[in-house]
């Protein structure tokens, strides 16, 4: 076969798969898609799958059953999408085996939505404010079936690039698109590829950074579980453009499902001749291998990641030289993260101008966020750059849980800052978030409400960065420890006004002198909470009081005898047996025994327990 015959073969395969799907529809077959991502499986998706599979095996229904990755409705797992013949898909959430049975007996047979289930896309618009580029196939295709990916235009970008375009043409297209790295730094992707291409060496490498370590972040994991082939295709395109023959995916071993699906995808691509020697008879050879990380957050930094893959201690090194010039084993190495790669096939197929038309002047395209915390609709969202925080949190996320008041949102993970109500109408892009004292980061977005103590939040993130520091440079190794000690002092009621001054001064010193991005950005939670919630710090230091009642040393619990009914709920919930009283008589909390856990406050139905 020549090059064009290979492209024609790929196109024929795509048409064959599409014809099979069309035949299913013409035969009146119901299509059932079950979300089988980590979040879905943890919520019981396997039992839902088994329920539908059993009905199909028994001949009770004529249906095609397929798995998908995360559909984005993490708050409503397990989720299932069902398409009846001639109808639009309906997505059901919060399913159980019993509810799946109700769907079988009522919806599939009669088209009536059972009163016991929630039809998500008939109560909210799942695409409201969203444009899916990186997530275009997640929740749509079977991630373990390469034919599903090929039918969705998979590998066409690679085929056209290596047979019809020069490496410089592809790189120039990426530069025009304005795609910036989605891993945190936001460096222009096309320029990074160009630098690697221009560096002369006998060997080059392409690396996918899948070491997603931010608390509350699950963007990259979801893409790898739901659409692994998009990353493999983009890495192969990268290899063609930069002159690399080998790709390495660095992924933390805590992602077993993502690892399993990557392995499957790599083997399928090799079998189809889309990875390995002489891809599509083009003369271009490229293969991909997996490397495992042990869960060190610092290995998300590209030089630390490279050292870890080399079998060395995962520590950052001074740049330059940058990995694009001298990286893995001393050779030029191009490192991009999962989300960055997921955008590339779509850009090549639809054009630079299409991608650049989405987003803002300086931040093109979309951004995937893992929306988590005190928000109603926890899940995976993808919005155009320039979308406001208010739109993400309240329009897509449904607002704050339990009618509570919004207090702050942490963007950019442990290295980001806490933004407040005054920032809700801030358009999301790299420049705006940095100017507000936070950062884009990889895309974690954790929402907090009125019950959160911002001093404790800063302490939590410092605790994380202290634990995850590689310890190589003194500002991070020692400085962050001192910051953490001062925050502990403040939250335990022993802080002084002098501590607040030292806290801020030391935070700026660390930002200016730390070796890598982890150390340089680690003080952001401290500085942003000092700027936006200084009154809470003052309350902790001067009044010896935690306004949110989250710091045990600064909180006491009392029972109002005029309200207490003596129901004993609080005393039964108290792990320290600090509540005394007889049934139907007011109870009393012993402050010397109370461990200030708040269990009594949570359990009291009458509002008799209060914190001070």
């Amino acid at each position: 076969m020549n090059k064009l015959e290979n492209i024609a073969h790929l196109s024929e395969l795509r048409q064959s798969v599409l014809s099979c799907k069309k035949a299913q529809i013409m035969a009146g077959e119901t299509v059932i898609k079950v979300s089988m991502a980590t979040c879905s499986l943890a919520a019981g998706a396997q039992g839902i799958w088994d329920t539908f599979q059993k009905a199909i095996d028994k001949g009770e229904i004529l249906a095609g059953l397929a798995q998908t990755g995360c559909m984005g409705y993490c708050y409503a797992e397990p989720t299932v999408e069902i398409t009846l013949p001639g109808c639009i898909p309906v997505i059901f959430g919060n399913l159980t085996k019993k509810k799946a049975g109700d769907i079988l007996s009522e919806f599939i047979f009669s088209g009536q939505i059972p009163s016991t289930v929630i039809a998500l896309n008939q109560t909210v618009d799942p695409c409201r404010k969203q444009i899916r580029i990186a997530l275009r196939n997640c929740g749509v295709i079977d991630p373990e079936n390469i034919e599903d990916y090929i039918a969705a235009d998979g590998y066409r970008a690679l085929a056209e690039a290596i047979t019809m375009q020069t490496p410089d043409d592809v790189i120039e297209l990426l530069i025009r698109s304005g795609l910036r790295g989605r891993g945190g730094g936001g460096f222009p992707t096309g320029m990074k590829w160009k630098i690697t291409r221009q560096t002369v060496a006998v060997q080059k490498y392409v690396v996918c950074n899948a070491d997603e370590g931010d608390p509350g972040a699950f963007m990259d994991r979801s893409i790898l579980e739901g659409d692994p082939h998009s990353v493999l295709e983009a890495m192969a395109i990268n290899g063609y453009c930069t002159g690399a023959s080998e790709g390495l995916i660095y992924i933390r071993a805590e992602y077993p499902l993502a690892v399993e699906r990557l392995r499957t995808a790599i083997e399928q691509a090799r079998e189809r001749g889309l990875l390995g020697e002489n891809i599509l008879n083009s003369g271009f050879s490229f293969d991909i291998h997996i490397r495992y990380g042990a869960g060190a957050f610092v290995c998300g930094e590209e030089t630390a990641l490279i050292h870890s893959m080399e079998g060395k201690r995962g520590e950052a090194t001074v740049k330059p030289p940058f990995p694009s010039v001298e990286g893995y084993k001393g050779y030029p190495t191009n490192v991009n993260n999962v989300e960055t790669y997921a955008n590339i096939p779509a850009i090549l197929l639809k054009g630079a101008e299409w991608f650049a038309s989405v987003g803002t002047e300086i931040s093109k395209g979309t951004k995937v966020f893992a929306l988590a915390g005190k928000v109603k609709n926890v899940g995976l969202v993808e919005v155009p750059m320039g979308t406001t925080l208010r739109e993400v949190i309240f329009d897509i996320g449904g607002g704050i849980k339990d009618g509570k008041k919004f207090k702050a949102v942490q963007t950019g993970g442990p290295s980001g800052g806490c933004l407040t109500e005054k920032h809700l109408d801030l358009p999301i892009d790299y420049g705006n978030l940095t100017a507000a004292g936070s950062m884009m980061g990889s895309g974690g977005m954790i929402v907090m409400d009125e019950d959160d103590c911002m001093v404790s939040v800063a302490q939590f993130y410092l605790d994380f960065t202290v634990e995850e520091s590689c310890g190589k440079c003194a500002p991070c190794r020692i400085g962050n420890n001192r910051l953490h000690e001062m925050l502990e002092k403040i939250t335990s009621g022993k802080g002084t006004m002098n501590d607040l001054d030292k806290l801020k001064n030391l935070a700026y010193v660390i930002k200016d002198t730390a070796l890598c991005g982890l150390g340089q950005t680690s003080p952001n939670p401290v500085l942003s909470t000092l700027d936006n919630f200084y009154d809470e710090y003052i309350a902790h230091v001067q009044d010896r009081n935690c306004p949110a009642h989250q710091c045990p040393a600064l909180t006491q619990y009392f029972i109002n005898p005029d309200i207490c009914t003596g129901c004993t709920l609080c005393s039964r919930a108290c792990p320290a047996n600090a509540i005394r009283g007889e049934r139907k008589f007011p109870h009393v909390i012993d402050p010397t025994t109370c461990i200030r856990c708040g269990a009594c406050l949570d359990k009291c139905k009458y509002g008799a327990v209060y914190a001070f």
Side-chain angles (χ1 to χ4, degrees):
M1 287 187 181
N2 60 33
K3 297 177 183 179
L4 294 179
E5 285 175 336
N6 273 281
I7 293 179
H9 176 68
L10 196 66
S11 179
E12 287 172 9
L13 177 60
R14 180 180 299 110
Q15 291 303 319
S16 174
V17 176
L18 290 172
S19 296
C20 288
K21 291 179 179 290
K22 187 176 180 181
Q24 275 186 314
I25 297 170
M26 296 297 290
E29 188 171 299
T30 294
V31 178
I32 303 172
K33 294 181 179 180
V34 181
S35 175
M36 298 286 274
T38 293
C39 53
S40 322
L41 291 167
Q46 186 62 56
I48 309 303
W49 173 279
D50 293 343
T51 299
F52 288 119
Q53 185 66 65
K54 186 176 179 180
I56 293 170
D57 291 343
K58 286 184 173 181
E60 295 174 359
I61 58 171
L62 176 63
L65 181 62
Q67 66 174 342
T68 72
C70 178
M71 296 180 184
Y73 302 97
C74 301
Y75 68 97
E77 294 293 356
T79 52
V80 171
E81 179 188 282
I82 300 179
T83 307
L84 299 179
C87 300
I88 61 171
V90 178
I91 300 172
F92 297 100
N94 297 120
L95 292 186
T96 62
K97 288 184 179 181
K98 182 182 182 307
K99 291 179 180 179
D102 292 340
I103 290 173
L104 283 169
S105 60
E106 296 182 47
F107 181 69
I108 291 180
F109 286 116
S110 65
Q112 298 297 313
I113 296 176
S115 59
T116 56
V117 300
I118 302 171
L120 297 173
N121 58 340
Q122 295 194 2
T123 56
V124 296
D125 180 1
C127 297
R128 180 175 50 184
K129 310 281 185 181
Q130 296 194 55
I131 297 177
R132 290 199 156 202
I133 299 176
L135 298 179
R136 62 193 176 278
N137 292 325
C138 291
V140 177
I141 67 170
D142 181 347
E144 297 183 20
N145 185 344
I146 191 172
E147 293 187 353
D148 253 21
Y149 181 67
I150 290 173
D153 270 343
Y155 290 105
R156 183 158 71 90
L158 171 63
E160 293 181 358
I162 64 179
T163 58
M164 301 168 64
Q165 297 172 285
T166 68
D168 290 327
D169 289 339
V170 177
I171 290 173
E172 182 56 36
L173 184 148
L174 286 179
I175 292 173
R176 292 202 320 272
S177 75
L179 175 66
R180 297 172 63 173
R182 298 304 197 239
F187 191 82
T189 303
M191 287 304 300
K192 182 181 276 193
W193 288 26
K194 187 173 184 177
I195 293 168
T196 309
R197 173 166 175 74
Q198 292 175 341
T199 304
V200 179
V202 295
Q203 175 69 45
K204 296 180 183 180
Y205 292 94
V206 166
V207 171
C208 173
N209 181 353
D211 189 63
E212 184 176 49
D214 295 10
F218 47 92
M219 304 78 58
D220 291 353
R221 187 199 74 207
S222 296
I223 292 172
L224 292 174
E225 290 178 357
D227 190 18
H229 285 284
S230 66
V231 175
L232 304 186
E233 181 179 12
M235 290 178 70
I237 293 168
N238 188 342
Y240 172 68
C241 292
T242 59
S245 60
E246 185 174 354
L248 301 168
I249 300 176
Y250 185 83
I251 183 169
R252 50 184 47 219
E254 295 97 327
Y255 281 1
L257 184 60
V259 169
E260 179 186 335
R261 287 182 177 168
L262 274 172
R263 282 179 184 158
T264 300
I266 290 170
E267 288 303 316
Q268 289 176 343
R270 286 173 182 159
E271 289 170 3
R272 293 281 186 180
L274 298 166
L275 284 179
E277 295 294 321
N278 194 23
I279 296 173
L280 294 179
N281 201 34
S282 65
F284 168 61
S285 299
F286 184 83
D287 207 353
I288 294 174
H289 301 90
I290 298 174
R291 296 289 183 269
Y292 302 106
F297 179 66
V298 71
C299 289
E301 197 278 336
E302 58 184 5
T303 60
L305 179 155
I306 287 169
H307 293 148
S308 177
M309 288 200 304
E310 292 171 335
K312 302 173 184 175
R313 185 180 176 91
E315 293 179 333
T317 51
V318 177
K319 295 180 284 191
F322 291 92
S324 291
V325 176
E326 186 178 320
Y328 183 63
K329 297 181 178 180
Y331 295 110
T333 304
N334 194 283
V335 184
N336 292 117
N337 87 319
V338 171
E339 185 185 341
T340 308
Y341 280 125
N343 280 284
I344 287 166
I347 294 174
L348 266 63
L349 291 178
K350 296 190 177 182
E353 290 69 27
W354 163 78
F355 188 81
S357 69
V358 180
T360 68
E361 188 61 32
I362 62 170
S363 300
K364 305 295 185 183
T366 60
K367 182 72 190 78
V368 179
F369 290 100
L371 188 60
K374 304 288 186 67
V375 67
K376 291 179 182 176
N377 301 338
V378 170
L380 210 59
V381 302
E382 183 174 2
V383 294
M385 294 282 193
T387 303
T388 66
L389 289 168
R390 187 186 302 277
E391 289 174 297
V392 173
I393 296 167
F394 289 90
D395 292 346
I396 299 173
I400 312 303
K401 285 182 178 179
D402 303 321
K404 298 284 186 176
K405 185 179 178 183
F406 169 83
K407 187 170 190 177
V409 57
Q410 171 89 358
T411 67
S415 302
C418 295
L419 305 180
T420 68
E421 194 168 8
K422 69 183 180 184
H423 299 110
L424 281 176
D425 293 313
L426 185 76
I428 298 168
D429 67 17
Y430 291 96
N432 285 337
L433 290 179
T434 301
S438 189
M439 60 187 292
M440 183 75 73
S442 59
M445 187 177 286
I446 300 177
V447 179
M448 289 161 269
D449 67 13
E450 60 193 84
D451 292 335
D452 287 297
C453 168
M454 302 313 296
V455 186
S456 290
V457 167
Q459 183 181 339
F460 167 79
Y461 284 114
L462 254 294
D463 183 63
F464 179 84
T465 49
V466 165
E467 178 70 23
E468 295 295 337
S469 171
C470 74
K472 183 173 183 178
C473 72
C476 185
R477 182 182 70 249
I478 302 172
N480 277 325
N481 263 298
R482 298 295 85 83
L483 282 181
H484 188 258
E485 287 168 3
M486 281 187 269
L487 287 169
E488 279 189 323
K489 185 179 176 183
I490 292 168
T491 56
S492 63
K494 300 173 184 176
T496 66
M497 291 301 293
N498 188 43
D499 289 325
L500 298 187
D501 292 333
K502 288 194 292 184
L503 198 65
K504 193 165 191 175
N505 290 337
L506 180 56
Y508 279 116
V509 169
I510 296 168
K511 280 183 72 73
D512 293 339
T513 59
L515 174 64
C516 78
L518 183 149
Q520 292 162 8
T521 57
S522 59
N524 281 345
V526 177
L527 291 171
S528 63
T529 52
L530 278 170
D531 288 343
N532 296 316
F533 299 96
Y534 192 67
D535 56 327
E536 288 198 27
Y537 281 89
I538 293 295
H540 281 69
V541 171
Q542 289 188 341
D543 303 332
R544 299 288 189 264
N545 175 47
C546 174
H549 310 304
Q550 295 299 312
C551 299
L554 298 176
T555 303
Q556 289 192 35
Y557 291 91
F558 301 92
I559 297 176
N560 187 332
D562 296 330
I563 300 177
C564 179
T565 64
C567 70
T568 74
L569 279 176
C570 61
S571 61
R572 282 182 281 159
C574 179
N577 295 318
I579 302 177
R580 299 190 179 94
E582 296 182 16
R583 181 177 287 276
K584 297 186 179 180
F585 288 92
H587 284 47
V588 176
I589 298 174
D590 179 0
T592 61
T593 310
C594 176
I595 61 172
R596 298 169 176 84
C597 65
C600 54
L601 183 65
D602 293 336
K603 287 293 182 180
C604 183
K605 296 180 178 180
Y606 304 100
V609 181
Y610 63 97
F612 182 78

